[in-house]
Amino acid sequence: MSLHMHPVADPRDFRRALGQFPTGVCVVTCAPDGTPHGMTMSSFNTLSLDPPLVLFSIDRRALSLPEWERADAFAVNVLADGQAELSNRFANPRGRKWEGVEHHASPLGAPILPGAAAWYECVPHARHDGGDHVLFVVRVRSYRAEPERRPLVFCQGRYMQLDTGTREVPSWPLDIHYF
Ligand SMILES: Cc1cc2nc3c(=O)[nH]c(=O)nc-3n(C[C@H](O)[C@H](O)[C@H](O)COP(=O)(O)O)c2cc1C
């Protein structure tokens, strides 16, 4: 059987294909000059253990991009199951994102949202060109995880619930790996 693959021609179709890769959902925040900013992001990922680096990318059209470029501290709030409303709120550039939203300042001053599944407090490390996005590589300074909270999942353009019915341990790392 031959598998027909298309070149990237239709951006909507490409986006739909990328949606086959499930992600979590984060609200990344910063507060340069004390004014809070927050944006829903699924582009968050882990990058390096030593040094501890994570990444996310921001659309060049985002109204708040200059604030992200100026910020010297970020908080990645990993949303939990049941926080889809927060995700929608922080994805709406026209909404009053912070109105009525409980939040606390992290030690470095970035807004922390209660009820999340994990928090990573970060400082800038590097910024790279990412086509129509800017890739932010940030260094984790402190963190907290709540393993009993299930993370919210985003897949095929929809919020989904994690089904923890099957939990298979991968046959990795092997002895030959790293340690
Ligand atoms: C589930 C989900 C994931 C998103 N992921 C990203 C992302 O990784 N990067 C990004 O720039 N925008 C992402 N967005 C869109 C932004 O959250 C949205 O455009 C935001 O309001 C832009 O911020 P602004 O108010 O500064 O323009 C995502 C939206 C949703 C609903």
Side-chain angles (χ1 to χ4, degrees):
M1 190 192 97
S2 86
L3 196 67
H4 179 70
M5 312 266 289
H6 337 256
V8 179
D10 176 352
R12 279 204 198 166
D13 190 63
F14 179 49
R15 196 181 166 136
R16 205 171 308 126
L18 294 176
Q20 286 295 94
F21 183 66
T23 66
V25 184
C26 303
V27 172
V28 184
T29 64
C30 63
D33 315 325
T35 308
H37 296 275
M39 194 193 293
T40 302
M41 294 195 209
S42 56
S43 58
F44 170 81
N45 217 322
T46 57
L47 179 60
S48 162
L49 288 178
D50 184 16
L53 301 177
V54 298
L55 60 84
F56 51 85
S57 64
I58 299 187
D59 195 313
R60 292 190 187 276
R61 293 167 301 182
L63 300 176
S64 55
L65 182 59
E67 276 69 42
W68 298 101
E69 292 181 330
R70 261 190 316 126
D72 52 16
F74 306 94
V76 177
N77 298 266
V78 179
L79 297 188
D81 211 357
Q83 291 190 308
E85 188 276 323
L86 272 184
S87 171
N88 289 333
R89 172 187 279 262
F90 282 97
N92 181 359
R94 281 188 285 271
R96 294 180 191 210
K97 292 183 175 183
W98 292 96
E99 200 169 84
V101 174
E102 187 190 350
H103 60 96
H104 310 281
S106 74
L108 297 173
I112 294 284
L113 303 172
W119 301 265
Y120 316 116
E121 186 191 43
C122 310
V123 295
H125 178 80
R127 264 198 332 255
H128 300 283
D129 172 42
D132 58 14
H133 282 57
V134 178
L135 177 63
F136 285 71
V137 176
V138 297
R139 186 179 180 124
V140 179
R141 278 286 155 80
S142 64
Y143 68 95
R144 181 185 168 108
E146 303 285 353
E148 79 292 349
R149 293 189 188 149
R150 286 187 194 182
L152 181 65
V153 174
F154 188 62
C155 184
Q156 296 179 333
R158 299 273 183 279
Y159 300 118
M160 294 192 188
Q161 279 189 335
L162 194 63
D163 176 359
T164 51
T166 25
R167 287 174 176 241
E168 209 175 313
V169 179
S171 56
W172 176 92
L174 303 174
D175 295 345
I176 54 160
H177 283 120
Y178 323 131
F179 303 108

